[in-house]
Amino acid sequence: QVQLVESGGGSVQTGGSLRLSCEVSGYTSGSNCMGWFRQAPGKEREGVAATYIGTGSTYYATSVKGRFTISQDNAKNTVYLQMNSLKPEDTAIYYCAARPGGYCGSWWLSAPYRYWGQGTQVTVSS
């Protein structure tokens, strides 16, 4: 059974940092695309970042580029999202997702991702 478990969410003030973790079990994330998405109240889910496990290539939404960093630890089957310089508009539930296949094309689209975590809340106060 495939499970993606996020952790690391919480409440911080503007300018603060958090590191989210996504531990994957029952599924080898190698040569697959792992993504982070977020959904704020009343808004659609949006892609935040993704990484292609095979090469370590990374992709970011414009709104987080330069502030967020996605990384992987293959030995731990874990993907991380380091979030710095957080802003109130980053407040959302953050989800990690796994997409089988050999590439991260159109990584920001949620439909191709087969497995999803339960989400972790990130709240940034001004």
Side-chain angles (χ1 to χ4, degrees):
Q1 183 180 358
V2 178
Q3 278 194 313
L4 279 65
V5 179
E6 302 101 333
S7 60
S11 297
V12 296
Q13 292 189 327
T14 298
S17 298
L18 285 172
R19 188 177 82 154
L20 305 183
S21 300
C22 174
E23 185 175 356
V24 183
S25 61
Y27 177 76
T28 301
S29 57
S31 299
N32 292 294
C33 188
M34 296 292 297
W36 283 99
F37 288 77
R38 66 186 180 187
Q39 188 165 20
K43 294 190 176 181
E44 294 197 357
R45 188 172 297 187
E46 63 170 342
V48 174
T51 183
Y52 177 48
I53 301 298
T55 63
S57 299
T58 57
Y59 311 88
Y60 297 95
T62 303
S63 59
V64 306
K65 210 166 191 177
R67 300 189 298 122
F68 290 12
T69 303
I70 188 170
S71 63
Q72 56 185 282
D73 185 333
N74 291 338
K76 295 182 179 180
N77 224 20
T78 299
V79 177
Y80 304 97
L81 185 68
Q82 177 67 44
M83 306 186 295
N84 299 328
S85 302
L86 283 162
K87 306 175 182 180
E89 51 263 43
D90 295 318
T91 295
I93 300 174
Y94 283 70
Y95 301 88
C96 71
R99 185 175 114 175
Y103 75 129
C104 274
S106 301
W107 63 269
W108 60 89
L109 298 177
S110 60
Y113 290 82
R114 183 181 299 175
Y115 305 107
W116 291 82
Q118 81 289 350
T120 185
Q121 177 71 47
V122 171
T123 302
V124 185
S125 57
S126 57

